[in-house]
Amino acid sequence: MQAASDAATRRLFTRLMALFPCILVLTVAAALRFYQLDAQSFWNDEGNSARLSERALQAITIGTASDIHPPLYYYTLHFWRAVVGHSEFTLRSLSVVFGVLLVWLIYLIGRQFFSKPAAFFSALIAATNPFLIYYSQEARMYAMLAAWAALSTYLLLQISNCKLQITKSLRLTLAALYVLVSAAGLYTQYTFAFILFVHNLAVVIGLITRREQLVRRALVWAAIQLAILLLYLPWLPVALSRMGGWQVQPQSHQLGVALLDTLRLFIYGITLPTSQAKAGMAVAAIFILASLWTAKQAEYRRQVGFLALWWLAPVALILSLGLYREAYLKFMLISTAPLCLLLGHGLVSAWQATAAKSVNPKGLMRLMRITIAALAVLAAAPLVLSLSNLYFNPSYARDDYRGIVQHIRSIERPGDAVLLIAPNQWEVFTYYYADAERVYPLARARPPNPTEVEIELGKIIAAHSRLFVLYWGDAEADPQRVYELWLMQHTYKAGEDWWGKVRLAIYAVPQAIADTPQYPLAARLGENITLSGYTLLTPDLAAGNVMQLAIFWQASAPISERYKVFVHVTDSGGQIVTQVDREPGANLVPTTIWQPGQTIMDRYGVLIPVDAKPGRYSLMVGLYDLRGNRLPITQGGTGDALLLTQVEIR
């Protein structure tokens, strides 16, 4: 009895040891994906996921019918949030689950195609791949898409594996699972069709090269594809209409540059420029070639050929269909798994090649293995930098709507409003900002109609004293900057900051707009620029309010250089308390377009810090070029900063 128990324990231990490499790599994958998961704010599309998934299923269906993505991810996130909650961490954790699942599937495919070491290193490459990690940390459907692509491919390989001795009923079960997973892929993201293209192309090649029972096998495959189509049929009209709206553009890039950048994306992700990844990419290319070299061996010819097809065919489709643009590069996630498999197999193949009988003496074999290990380290070095950028470098951070809302909350007052100059901001902004009645989503029409803008903004400023305006995607939402020009003419801009790709500007709404100077001047800056006067609507104001200043400029001759205006509020010791620096007309009327004799009315809102001490302050104005050199005051003052007046801060 004891002997039987000991034998069972040994068998269990043996099985656990056999599973240890897979458990280890999955642990690494989960750790890298959960690490810093909620360190960054949701960005626009993630906000859309968060708000859409909180709706009822029917409302999700209606919403996604007008979206650019099918509904399955949102359905899944709907039930996921009901169990785990709706924080940034929990909503993103669904993508982590699919990201880890993908690593496991890569390990399984590697075991089926190659050896245990090749499967382990392929999965390890996937576990540490910045491209996969980035989208496993985003509350979007792309990690799910990549997992469906790998799972459907794994099921296809199981179905078509002639060496696998399975019953007819089990093969039928696998075929049914393949149909369900493929339909799920289509209901997750439209580019899953690229995977079905790869599968069909591979099956056709297999039918041609292996002709036995050709008709029966072809009919079975046609039935499987028909079953997928029938499951997807209810959504097919929506899919065709939405894919027709994809922004296809002519390929202006060079093919070689695009392919090089694509290879960098696959290996090191979006958080490392190509210039810093070239050495690692060269090493990766060596290992890929080593994997392709094994295709000469009959044992690996079909496996390596299939992986190359799975990797390159979607890339070719994306390039040929005009979808190669920044917003669509994430579609290439469906081809990351085969590249990881080729890299892992190539690394092991290169290592095993050193043990060939032709490698002699042993010293040469040792040298070759040291070289291979050094190359692997060289390829891993940019990986560390890319992951560091992903986790810690603000240059690669997502748009910080969480920080925007915290900043607004710290300075907002009754009578303030928030304007969103671009669609698809309302969801993410109101995820953090609960006072939705103070938020106005604008720019619904593209391009905006000036008459409608006049009416819309006129009503808003009539009811509010200050505006927080979020600009995002200006080139698409408001290419003529209709909203910004209107605000420049009717309000006082108090400054702006960038939060990722979102620009937050603050405007003060005046009780009246002065079209002529309240205080005439005749100050000259440089040779050809005159400050002819100014109007100050707020000679005294409380800390935390916005000073409203209008400056009137004139040019006596064309100005060939661009100048910035500085408006400084200084204390009695000459220290700057607050300032605004920008080109005239809220950066929209640069000095190079001024016409001689034309009066330029230039409005400035200057936000007084909430901690400013009561007292009298000096209001200073001047100009400087883009190199930082100030224009001297040649008439009406001295130095390079003109004192306009004293202001009182309460």
Side-chain angles (χ1 to χ4, degrees):
M1 193 74 169
Q2 182 64 36
S5 176
D6 291 344
T9 301
R10 286 194 296 271
R11 286 195 299 271
L12 177 61
F13 179 76
T14 302
R15 290 176 181 174
L16 288 176
M17 289 304 296
L19 291 173
F20 178 75
C22 183
I23 295 173
L24 175 63
V25 77
L26 292 179
T27 302
V28 171
L32 290 175
R33 284 155 177 78
F34 276 116
Y35 181 63
Q36 296 280 81
L37 186 59
D38 59 352
Q40 297 183 25
S41 164
F42 279 156
W43 71 292
N44 295 69
D45 286 0
E46 288 184 291
N48 187 54
S49 297
R51 301 310 302 271
L52 190 57
S53 64
E54 69 186 12
R55 304 177 187 176
L57 295 182
Q58 183 178 3
I60 292 175
T61 305
I62 295 172
T64 52
S66 58
D67 191 25
I68 59 173
H69 300 291
L72 182 59
Y73 170 76
Y74 301 111
Y75 291 157
T76 310
L77 193 62
H78 171 84
F79 292 107
W80 182 265
R81 68 182 291 149
V83 175
V84 301
H86 59 275
S87 68
E88 294 155 320
F89 187 93
T90 55
L91 291 181
R92 284 174 174 158
S93 64
L94 177 62
S95 294
V96 172
V97 171
F98 280 99
V100 175
L101 173 63
L102 174 62
V103 174
W104 180 54
L105 289 167
I106 290 173
Y107 181 84
L108 294 179
I109 296 173
R111 282 291 307 274
Q112 179 174 335
F113 271 10
F114 308 120
S115 61
K116 287 184 180 180
F120 172 77
F121 282 105
S122 298
L124 183 62
I125 290 169
T128 57
N129 183 282
F131 191 32
L132 295 177
I133 293 172
Y134 185 93
Y135 287 103
S136 294
Q137 292 195 320
E138 187 173 83
R140 298 295 286 164
M141 67 288 301
Y142 302 108
M144 177 187 275
L145 170 67
W148 290 146
L151 181 55
S152 64
T153 302
Y154 176 72
L155 291 170
L156 174 64
L157 295 174
Q158 296 297 103
I159 295 168
S160 58
N161 188 355
C162 299
K163 297 180 181 179
L164 189 63
Q165 300 299 319
I166 58 177
T167 64
K168 183 178 180 180
S169 61
L170 180 55
R171 198 176 295 275
L172 184 61
T173 301
L174 289 172
L177 288 174
Y178 173 79
V179 170
L180 291 174
V181 171
S182 297
L186 289 172
Y187 275 105
T188 299
Q189 223 287 325
Y190 297 122
T191 50
F192 187 85
F194 295 169
I195 289 296
L196 292 181
F197 172 81
V198 170
H199 291 176
N200 279 275
L201 187 56
V203 168
V204 169
I205 294 173
L207 291 173
I208 294 173
T209 56
R210 197 158 52 92
R211 294 178 177 275
E212 63 269 18
Q213 298 181 324
L214 176 63
V215 175
R216 186 186 69 83
R217 288 164 52 219
L219 289 175
V220 169
W221 180 249
I224 289 174
Q225 297 303 296
L226 180 60
I228 297 171
L229 179 62
L230 289 175
L231 287 177
Y232 194 61
L233 199 58
W235 196 259
L236 186 60
V238 176
L240 294 175
S241 66
R242 300 316 300 165
M243 286 188 290
W246 279 1
Q247 295 181 10
V248 177
Q249 60 185 20
Q251 303 305 307
S252 58
H253 55 269
Q254 295 181 353
L255 181 60
V257 174
L259 292 175
L260 187 67
D261 195 50
T262 299
L263 182 62
R264 184 266 310 169
L265 183 76
F266 277 123
I267 301 172
Y268 298 115
I270 66 175
T271 52
L272 193 70
T274 302
S275 60
Q276 297 181 20
K278 288 183 178 178
M281 291 163 57
V283 175
I286 292 173
F287 290 136
I288 293 172
L289 291 175
S291 183
L292 296 176
W293 175 80
T294 62
K296 297 179 180 178
Q297 306 172 27
E299 181 183 1
Y300 295 127
R301 184 177 300 132
R302 294 180 64 185
Q303 290 92 324
V304 173
F306 175 78
L307 292 177
L309 179 66
W310 181 6
W311 172 35
L312 296 175
V315 175
L317 287 170
I318 288 172
L319 290 172
S320 61
L321 294 175
L323 299 177
Y324 185 79
R325 56 196 300 261
E326 184 179 358
Y328 296 156
L329 292 180
K330 52 203 169 189
F331 296 163
M332 294 189 184
L333 281 170
I334 58 178
S335 288
T336 307
L339 180 61
C340 294
L341 287 159
L342 288 172
L343 285 171
H345 177 236
L347 174 62
V348 173
S349 297
W351 186 270
Q352 291 174 342
T354 63
K357 294 181 180 180
S358 58
V359 177
N360 199 18
K362 288 187 177 180
L364 179 58
M365 181 181 72
R366 188 177 298 112
L367 177 62
M368 292 176 64
R369 288 192 168 181
I370 291 174
T371 302
I372 292 171
L375 288 174
V377 171
L378 181 61
L383 192 73
V384 175
L385 181 57
S386 180
L387 289 175
S388 177
N389 287 338
L390 170 63
Y391 295 132
F392 307 115
N393 191 335
S395 300
Y396 295 97
R398 295 171 174 88
D399 299 335
D400 190 9
Y401 282 91
R402 181 204 299 161
I404 291 173
V405 169
Q406 290 173 349
H407 178 65
I408 291 175
R409 287 296 194 192
S410 69
I411 60 175
E412 70 179 347
R413 296 189 171 190
D416 292 348
V418 180
L419 279 58
L420 307 176
I421 309 295
N424 201 30
Q425 286 195 99
W426 185 88
E427 290 82 2
V428 66
F429 187 81
T430 55
Y431 175 84
Y432 295 105
Y433 191 86
D435 299 333
E437 67 278 0
R438 300 173 69 177
V439 181
Y440 296 85
L442 306 176
R444 301 178 189 87
R446 296 189 184 185
N449 183 297
T451 302
E452 295 176 355
V453 168
E454 173 82 27
I455 297 172
E456 187 175 30
L457 290 184
K459 292 179 179 178
I460 292 173
I461 68 170
H464 298 90
S465 57
R466 288 195 311 181
L467 308 175
F468 296 97
V469 183
L470 278 67
Y471 296 97
W472 176 77
D474 298 11
E476 295 180 1
D478 187 7
Q480 303 301 321
R481 306 179 85 168
V482 176
Y483 282 99
E484 194 165 2
L485 286 168
W486 193 94
L487 289 170
M488 180 194 74
Q489 296 168 359
H490 296 83
T491 64
Y492 287 80
K493 187 175 183 179
E496 63 183 19
D497 293 294
W498 286 91
W499 302 77
K501 295 181 180 178
V502 182
R503 179 164 51 102
L504 172 64
I506 303 175
Y507 296 86
V509 178
Q511 295 181 351
I513 291 289
D515 294 328
T516 56
Q518 181 183 12
Y519 303 102
L521 293 174
R524 177 170 295 176
L525 289 81
E527 297 181 0
N528 300 314
I529 298 178
T530 299
L531 196 161
S532 59
Y534 70 94
T535 296
L536 182 62
L537 298 180
T538 51
D540 67 68
L541 70 167
N545 286 345
V546 176
M547 178 187 298
Q548 300 175 17
L549 170 70
I551 305 172
F552 295 81
W553 305 99
Q554 284 187 340
S556 58
I559 302 172
S560 59
E561 189 160 11
R562 291 167 59 183
Y563 292 96
K564 284 189 172 183
V565 180
F566 66 84
V567 178
H568 291 173
V569 177
T570 61
D571 60 18
S572 58
Q575 296 297 313
I576 298 174
V577 175
T578 185
Q579 68 185 84
V580 175
D581 291 60
R582 62 170 180 253
E583 293 188 70
N587 296 318
L588 300 177
V589 189
T591 53
T592 51
I593 68 170
W594 291 4
Q595 299 298 316
Q598 177 188 14
T599 298
I600 306 296
M601 183 169 54
D602 192 16
R603 296 190 180 93
Y604 292 86
V606 184
L607 182 62
I608 305 301
V610 293
D611 58 352
K613 296 179 180 179
R616 293 186 65 78
Y617 291 80
S618 299
L619 180 58
M620 313 291 294
V621 173
L623 291 168
Y624 61 91
D625 61 29
L626 300 188
R627 298 181 299 277
N629 302 313
R630 290 188 179 185
L631 275 181
I633 299 173
T634 56
Q635 180 180 316
T638 59
D640 53 20
L642 181 66
L643 173 62
L644 292 186
T645 187
Q646 298 284 320
V647 294
E648 189 77 25
I649 296 179
R650 295 179 273 104

